[in-house]
Amino acid sequence: MKKEAYNFEFEVYDSIESLPEKDAWLLGQAREVTQHAYAPYSHFQVGAVARLDNGEIVTGSNQENASFPLGLCAERVLLATAASIYPKVPIETIAISYHNDNGESDHPISPCGICRQSLLEYESRVNHPIRLVLGGMEGKVYVIDKAAMLLPLSFTSEDLKS
Ligand code: THU
C-alpha cells in the first residue's frame, strides 16, 4: 500500500479592488448578471460571465423550475450558450458571483459537482484550461487557474475507451 496526495494552489485576493483589471471587470459583470437569474425557489441568484479566447463575452445565470430537478446552474447555462454561439472557441476565464434575495453575499462560492464535470468536459473538448474568478458581491476573491483542479480523480472520455 502507498498513499498519494492531491493538492492545488489558488490565489486569494482580499477584494475585487486588488484583482488584475481584466478579472475585476469580469467579476463586476458576473455580479450584474445575477439579476438575470430566475431563482424563485432557492432565492439564490447566481451569475457567470466568460471571456472567450476570441474576446467575446458570454453570460449565464441559474434558471429554476417548479419541477426542481429541471433547474440549471449558471455555469452550465453559460457553457451551453458559449458552445452554441461560438463552437470550438476556448473559454479563457469565467467569473462567478451570487447573492441572496437581499442582494448580499460576502464570500466566494465554487461550482457544484455537476458543473465541475461540465467544466472539465469543456476544457478537454477545446483543449484549453478555464480560469475561474470566484467572488460574492463583496469580500475575498479566489482565482483558480484551471477548472479541472476542482475535480481530482475525475471520470473522463478516456475511461469510456477502457
Ligand atoms: N447554483 C448555481 O447556479 N451554481 C452553483 O455553482 C451552485 C448552485 C444554483 C442552482 C440553484 O438554482 C441555486 O443556485 C441553489 O442551489
Side-chain angles (χ1 to χ4, degrees), residues 38-39 42-47 61-64 71-76 96 109-112 115:
Y38 177 66
S42 71
H43 307 285
F44 191 82
Q45 284 94 9
V46 185
S61 53
N62 55 330
Q63 302 295 321
E64 299 184 350
L72 291 167
C73 291
E75 294 89 332
R76 278 174 296 134
I96 302 165
I109 55 163
S110 58
C112 78
C115 290

Side-chain angles (χ1 to χ4, degrees), residues 23 39 41 69:
D23 291 339
Y41 307 106

Side-chain angles (χ1 to χ4, degrees), residues 13-30:
Y13 294 82
D14 279 343
S15 71
I16 194 171
E17 282 79 26
S18 45
L19 279 178
E21 198 181 320
K22 278 172 87 176
D23 291 339
W25 183 84
L26 210 62
L27 182 56
Q29 294 298 299

Side-chain angles (χ1 to χ4, degrees), residues 78-95:
L78 183 153
L79 293 176
T81 305
S84 303
I85 304 177
Y86 303 106
K88 300 189 180 149
V89 178
I91 294 175
E92 182 196 278
T93 303
I94 300 177

